[in-house]
Amino acid sequence: MLVLALDTATPAVTAGVVELTADPTAPPAVRAARIAHDARKHGELLMPGVLAACAEAGIALTEVDAIVTGTGPGPFTGLRVGMVTAAALGDALDVPVHGVCSLDAIAVEAAAGSPTGNLLVLTDARRREVYWAAYDREARRLTGPHVETPAALVARLPELAVVAAAGGAAEQHADLLGLPVLAPAAPSPAGLVAVAADALRSGAAPEPVAPLYLRRPDAVEPGRRKRVSTP
């Protein structure tokens, strides 16, 4: 099975072609990947990355059997780019689209480097906050995703019993967290497909893909205009 993996929940714009076999013990094999870093150009960079990854993998886009997309948490505009692109391609190619938590995709790879305890995954949420979730040594999510300030997260660390951190905001706040920082900083094609592997192999219809925004949008519907009284 050839799977197209996309994620735009972080400043990294991720696209890749991953081969997944029916063997549940075989990890996803990346045929090609394109990862660019520009938080302001998700829309411009994603489809060129998709086409470049397909070309490197030696396949046409029409040969993709399924699509996996990160659903965040992430900023509104960037996150929508990946999810809308995945939905449009799934409809055009008539293939299933599976959504996975982007933090889960980071955790499944990082957990291999933290076999002795729980793992913290955090990414930049802007506004001086972070998105985060905690995982056990098997990359099973224990709590989250949440959004809050780094200081508030640090206050929770004793109860979380984490021994390492991963994700783009982990290195940024490494001194505050006081934890070893593991790779990766952003979801990879292999990590995204690994999270969805059981669903992909089963052939079950995917659940509706829903974004994990965790915040209300900044834009609000304008209120009713005030009535101007006449003299």
Side-chain angles (χ1 to χ4, degrees), residues 83-159:
M83 296 185 65
V84 169
T85 300
L89 289 174
D91 184 60
L93 301 173
D94 193 24
V95 297
V97 178
H98 294 262
V100 301
C101 174
S102 301
L103 300 181
D104 292 359
I106 296 173
V108 76
E109 288 194 279
S114 179
T116 60
N118 294 344
L119 173 71
L120 181 70
V121 176
L122 60 160
T123 58
D124 185 15
R126 303 177 183 174
R127 304 184 194 173
R128 300 182 181 179
E129 292 182 323
V130 293
Y131 299 118
W132 69 272
Y135 300 81
D136 67 12
R137 67 184 66 185
E138 303 296 329
R140 292 174 296 211
R141 199 186 323 154
L142 301 172
T143 183
H146 306 287
V147 58
E148 59 190 352
T149 66
L153 172 56
V154 168
R156 292 177 180 249
L157 291 183
E159 67 187 74

Side-chain angles (χ1 to χ4, degrees), residues 52-93:
C54 288
E56 183 180 332
I59 67 166
L61 188 54
T62 53
E63 295 178 70
V64 166
D65 299 301
I67 298 172
V68 174
T69 182
T71 59
F76 291 92
T77 302
L79 183 56
R80 278 197 298 265
V81 170
M83 296 185 65
V84 169
T85 300
L89 289 174
D91 184 60
L93 301 173

